[in-house]
Amino acid sequence: MKVTFPHMGQAYLAIKGLLDDLGIEVVVPPPITQKTLEIGTKLSPEMACLPLKINIGNYIESIEKGADTIIITGSCGPCRFGYYGVVQKEILNDLGYDVDMIIFDPPNSDYKAFIDRIRRLAGKNSWASIAQAFNRASTIVKEADEMLDIALKKRAREASRGDTDSKLYRFEREVMGKHGTREILETIRKYKVILSQVEENPEIWPLKIGLVGEIYTLIEPYVNLNIERKLGYMGVEVCRSLTLNEWVKVHLSLDIKHRVRHKRILKKAAPYLNLCVGGHAWQTIANSVYYSECGLDGIIQIMPFGCMPEIVAESILPKVSQDYGTPIMTLVVDEMTGEAGYFTRLEAFVDLLEQKRRRRADEYQESIFRG
Amino acid sequence: MKIGIPRALLYYNYYPLWHSFFGDLGYQVVISPATSRAILDSGVMSCVDDACLPIKVFHGHVASLIGKVDAIFIPRLVSIYPKEFICPKFIGLPEMIKSSIKGLPHLLVLNCNAHRNLDAAYKAYVELGKMLGVKRSQAVRALQKALINQQLYESLLKKGQTPIDTLNEDKSIGESKGVIGLIGHPYLLYDEFISMGLISKLRARGYVVMVPENVAQSHIEAVCKELPKKLFWSYGKKLLGSGLAMLKGRKVDGIIFLSSFGCGIDAFIIELLQRYNHRLYQIPSALITVDEHSGQAGFNTRLEAFIDMIEWRNSREGHISPHGTSVLGH
């Protein structure tokens, strides 16, 4: 059995580590490129959302490298993600790929099926060792996100442009040669130190922009055209509302403290939207309110074209922006997204925020002199 | 007090229920006019660009009711059956309307969520009555009466009528050449502006039309049991189940999928139906996608070509045209 999985940001670090520890051979899909997207677009239903298309591209590229089993997670609606597994399986079937697909749905009632699936994947490993490996994998998720957070802070302030990214690039090259959670974790920790030593320019006073929206487009840099890096180069510090770590903590762990915090933020959305409409639309609204209250300079919502829950959020966000006075921009990405137009919009948005901040500072100064 | 009901989205599923419920409580019910270019345009103007056509049309209908009524009824159906959902956009509909349309009168929002149990759906109507200042017992009575009307309507549908027939009270179905299955959401199929009179056009060509509402729920459930994973969209399940039932029983000579651009659920449901059809049944099928720019001419051409194909298939399927000559022999 050679197992593969779809890419989603840094998730491959944890999944590879977990499967390595369980002694399962794993094929990490090649990084997402234009080719991946083209394969996916050609073979998927036209109206499907972007993540499904990229997943298909990942599968095919991995199958070409020898994978014969695919693992993905599922959900039970109302977002389309819940039916990804079934549609993708039919697509691969019709193409004649003889692969096994193991879909991990949240075990709402059918615990037996869930346990069977884990057994099918984990083989002879004992439950204790599965649990331990799982635990270590979630540590990887946590530390990898901490590493990215350091990078986000450093990128906006680095003394020489590109310093942070060259270190991240070296990390990506190095970590691919590692085996098992321990080695991967060591590499992450090593690079956390390296990254925090990146030289800063003390004169930079970065703008702060919060990213909200659909989780896949937020986490996967290829899909959002590396928005974090692009904003970082413009001297903007990015705050991410949804991270893998956040997802793992809310969905897979028993961290009560974190859940309470999650609920508290969700409550902030009450005047605008007070129930789950699927996906992360509720979180999008709640985090936008939260960021506005925190005094961030601006908010950007990112979503794939046709994402049902985020469309609801998109139509509510102008009201949040009106009430709090925080500029909010929505970016929709799909396979046709061109970089140039996208970056022009980003630059214009950052310019706007900068002017707004300057005006605020001037007004403040005036009021001091007048007073 | 006048209560306005937008003639869009689930109106075609539930109008007997809603009509009767409000009427019985002593309110005057005003239905927005049938969809027109003006309504669609005002919907497109007020709604976010990325929403699908039916949502935009709904915005237009709500806007057209402003000034004519004292309150507008907006259903929020989260779920109509335990452990199933409806499209996310339906769940956030009242919020979308509130933030995109200005100058709205009072909104009567029906919060129907049967995700945990079916009773919750009935409670929603009692809550709605409370909002109107109606006593619980009165609301329950009105609901019971309304449910009887709704059941009557649904039984008519099962007999082969389409909601348009019941609305227009036109029951004439003449001589038929065959049956064409139509798979699409009710708010597309029965809105004659959006579907560009698809049903009457097919009937004019002498075909009987079979719609998802004509297929018994038990058939749909039975077919959907065979799916590898439970389908969690109630209306998606209805479309997929009725489509598969039509294909499986070979009840139709051709099947047309009507979808709106950007419909997330159709993207999956129709994809699956087409794949199953190709693999197992091979019944002629066509997918027609409509949006706010759809033109009649292209639509008609595709429809005619599809019907021609079905008819030619019966008479000259064996003829394979040699290079340079047409099938017609000239």
Side-chain angles (χ1 to χ4, degrees):
Chain A
M1 184 162 67
K2 279 190 180 178
V3 177
T4 189
F5 52 88
H7 262 307
M8 181 160 162
Q10 306 293 310
Y12 72 95
L13 297 173
I15 302 174
K16 182 179 185 299
L18 176 70
L19 295 174
D20 281 346
D21 279 12
L22 294 176
I24 301 164
E25 206 176 332
V26 48
V27 178
V28 177
I32 302 173
T33 57
Q34 185 66 32
K35 191 179 150 222
T36 319
L37 182 61
E38 271 167 22
I39 296 174
T41 313
K42 201 169 78 189
L43 303 174
S44 317
E46 186 193 355
M47 278 291 123
C49 34
L50 189 61
L52 181 131
K53 297 178 183 177
I54 293 187
N55 284 358
I56 291 281
N58 282 152
Y59 298 156
I60 304 252
E61 285 185 327
S62 297
I63 291 169
E64 279 166 5
K65 283 177 74 182
D68 57 15
T69 307
I70 296 166
I71 50 168
I72 61 163
T73 59
S75 77
C76 295
C79 167
R80 277 186 276 181
F81 174 65
Y83 229 64
Y84 266 27
V86 176
V87 172
Q88 289 171 342
K89 196 171 183 177
E90 297 294 341
I91 293 174
L92 292 178
N93 250 352
D94 276 351
L95 289 170
Y97 289 114
D98 182 24
V99 286
D100 218 0
M101 213 154 176
I102 307 179
I103 306 169
F104 289 97
D105 284 323
N108 280 337
S109 52
D110 199 0
Y111 283 91
K112 195 180 164 291
F114 186 71
I115 287 168
D116 279 351
R117 280 188 207 122
I118 295 181
R119 263 275 149 252
R120 200 164 119 210
L121 185 67
K124 286 193 208 77
N125 288 288
S126 72
W127 285 108
S129 63
I130 294 173
Q132 274 168 7
F134 201 81
N135 202 9
R136 284 195 298 269
S138 60
T139 317
I140 292 187
V141 170
K142 181 167 156 272
E143 302 238 352
D145 265 328
E146 282 167 7
M147 181 181 78
L148 287 185
D149 281 338
I150 297 174
L152 286 178
K153 280 218 162 62
K154 287 288 177 186
R155 205 181 275 133
R157 296 180 174 84
E158 62 197 0
S160 65
R161 274 277 164 266
D163 213 7
T164 316
D165 280 316
S166 72
K167 298 205 156 88
L168 273 181
Y169 181 64
R170 259 185 17 226
F171 163 77
E172 276 161 21
R173 303 253 326 239
E174 199 175 317
V175 83
M176 279 317 288
K178 302 293 176 192
H179 187 87
T181 43
R182 281 217 177 79
E183 286 181 21
I184 292 175
L185 210 50
E186 262 169 37
T187 322
I188 293 174
R189 285 188 180 140
K190 184 175 123 197
Y191 273 88
K192 263 165 94 176
V193 176
I194 294 178
L195 276 170
S196 49
Q197 284 163 350
V198 167
E199 215 179 313
E200 286 185 27
N201 180 351
E203 277 164 29
I204 292 178
W205 179 34
L207 282 165
K208 282 192 178 173
I209 291 184
L211 291 186
V212 296
E214 194 275 331
I215 187 164
Y216 184 82
T217 35
L218 283 183
I219 291 178
E220 180 50 55
Y222 178 80
V223 176
N224 61 36
L225 295 120
N226 254 315
I227 188 169
E228 288 171 4
R229 185 181 297 173
K230 184 70 192 171
L231 284 173
Y233 286 168
M234 286 189 236
V236 174
E237 191 182 327
V238 175
C239 303
R240 303 182 298 160
S241 61
L242 291 171
T243 56
L244 269 180
N245 188 28
E246 170 88 18
W247 189 86
V248 169
K249 270 190 168 165
V250 173
H251 292 274
L252 300 175
S253 82
L254 299 168
D255 191 338
I256 307 280
K257 225 165 114 193
H258 190 84
R259 281 184 186 217
V260 171
R261 180 175 173 271
H262 182 74
K263 280 267 153 61
R264 211 177 58 225
I265 291 186
L266 279 184
K267 275 213 185 100
K268 290 185 190 297
Y272 306 97
L273 182 74
N274 206 9
L275 79 173
C276 177
V277 296
H280 287 89
W282 197 8
Q283 281 87 339
T284 298
I285 303 286
N287 280 313
S288 302
V289 174
Y290 175 64
Y291 282 154
S292 303
E293 281 177 357
C294 293
L296 258 62
D297 296 290
I299 297 167
I300 296 178
Q301 182 202 18
I302 313 177
M303 63 172 183
F305 176 76
C307 174
M308 301 191 286
E310 290 298 326
I311 288 173
V312 177
E314 186 194 356
S315 62
I316 299 171
L317 280 179
K319 215 163 185 192
V320 178
S321 169
Q322 219 171 42
D323 289 355
Y324 287 89
T326 315
I328 302 181
M329 176 169 74
T330 298
L331 292 175
V332 182
V333 292
D334 70 359
E335 60 268 28
M336 314 291 244
T337 306
E339 269 192 30
Y342 190 87
F343 289 156
T344 310
R345 291 192 61 191
L346 275 185
E347 278 164 14
F349 188 68
V350 172
D351 274 353
L352 172 115
L353 296 184
E354 204 134 346
Q355 278 171 21
K356 208 175 161 205
R357 183 168 72 174
R358 210 175 301 138
R359 203 173 53 221
R360 212 164 50 214
D362 288 349
E363 276 168 14
Y364 179 66
Q365 251 174 5
E366 258 176 49
S367 73
I368 290 176
F369 286 128
R370 232 186 282 133
Chain B
M1 190 165 107
K2 286 186 199 167
I3 294 178
I5 303 182
R7 191 197 288 261
L9 294 181
L10 297 174
Y11 171 76
Y12 297 95
N13 296 53
Y14 291 111
Y15 75 89
L17 180 76
W18 294 338
H19 248 268
S20 158
F21 181 74
F22 289 119
D24 209 64
L25 291 176
Y27 295 102
Q28 192 188 338
V29 178
V30 178
I31 310 288
S32 59
T35 313
S36 62
R37 178 52 50 193
I39 287 183
L40 174 60
D41 284 346
S42 84
V44 171
M45 295 285 276
S46 52
C47 190
V48 282
D49 307 337
D50 299 297
C52 57
L53 181 66
I55 295 284
K56 289 177 181 166
V57 170
F58 189 86
H59 278 68
H61 278 278
V62 171
S64 78
L65 282 170
I66 292 176
K68 292 181 197 154
V69 292
D70 305 307
I72 296 178
F73 171 69
I74 295 182
R76 183 214 300 281
L77 300 185
V78 179
S79 162
I80 52 167
Y81 197 75
K83 293 200 176 152
E84 287 178 8
F85 286 104
I86 299 191
C87 166
K89 280 179 258 181
F90 283 46
I91 304 176
L93 192 58
E95 279 76 20
M96 287 178 89
I97 295 286
K98 261 185 242 168
S99 43
S100 354
I101 301 181
K102 290 193 177 73
L104 282 172
H106 184 59
L107 293 187
L108 288 171
V109 177
L110 170 78
N111 284 306
C112 175
N113 186 354
H115 193 247
R116 295 235 166 78
N117 58 37
L118 266 176
D119 291 347
Y122 305 124
K123 267 183 210 143
Y125 286 90
V126 175
E127 294 271 312
L128 188 67
K130 215 188 265 171
M131 243 194 279
L132 287 163
V134 172
K135 263 190 240 138
R136 189 190 164 84
S137 56
Q138 210 180 339
V140 170
R141 222 175 311 133
L143 178 64
Q144 277 166 352
K145 239 186 223 174
L147 280 173
I148 293 171
N149 279 334
Q150 178 73 16
Q151 274 162 9
L152 207 70
Y153 168 67
E154 280 172 15
S155 68
L156 277 180
L157 293 182
K158 291 287 169 302
K159 282 187 197 143
Q161 284 200 12
T162 68
I164 299 180
D165 304 329
T166 7
L167 277 170
N168 300 340
E169 293 184 0
D170 162 36
K171 286 162 194 152
S172 57
I173 298 169
E175 202 72 0
S176 86
K177 287 197 232 166
V179 182
I180 299 225
L182 274 184
I183 298 294
H185 289 283
Y187 42 80
L188 297 179
L189 285 184
Y190 311 130
D191 189 320
E192 288 193 305
F193 181 80
I194 297 182
S195 71
M196 297 190 229
L198 177 59
I199 293 179
S200 46
K201 276 174 190 164
L202 285 172
R203 285 187 177 155
R205 289 283 307 241
Y207 284 89
V208 170
V209 173
M210 195 181 215
V211 292
E213 278 70 24
N214 299 148
V215 180
Q217 190 63 30
S218 55
H219 270 211
I220 294 177
E221 296 288 343
V223 179
C224 285
K225 277 244 167 69
E226 290 167 25
L227 290 174
K229 178 178 174 178
K230 185 184 151 62
L231 203 54
F232 44 75
W233 299 299
S234 301
Y235 290 120
K237 190 165 134 189
K238 188 171 184 182
L239 296 192
L240 184 61
S242 53
L244 281 178
M246 288 177 196
L247 293 171
K248 220 173 184 175
R250 301 210 163 261
K251 289 179 193 154
V252 291
D253 301 298
I255 194 163
I256 297 179
F257 308 112
L258 186 71
S259 167
S260 63
F261 180 76
C263 177
I265 294 177
D266 281 358
F268 279 30
I269 298 298
I270 292 177
E271 174 76 10
L272 287 175
L273 266 174
Q274 280 179 325
R275 282 183 189 275
Y276 291 139
N277 186 21
H278 276 287
R279 220 180 288 160
L280 303 166
Y281 312 110
Q282 286 159 354
I283 284 173
S285 73
L287 165 62
I288 299 182
T289 308
V290 288
D291 69 359
E292 55 264 44
H293 310 297
S294 292
Q296 284 264 5
F299 185 87
N300 290 349
T301 311
R302 291 201 57 199
L303 204 61
E304 279 163 20
F306 180 67
I307 294 175
D308 283 348
M309 180 192 70
I310 293 176
E311 287 172 1
W312 289 358
R313 202 183 190 209
N314 289 333
S315 55
R316 12 179 131 80
E317 194 180 21
H319 293 279
I320 295 171
S321 66
H323 179 74
T325 50
S326 92
V327 198
L328 295 171
H330 43 256

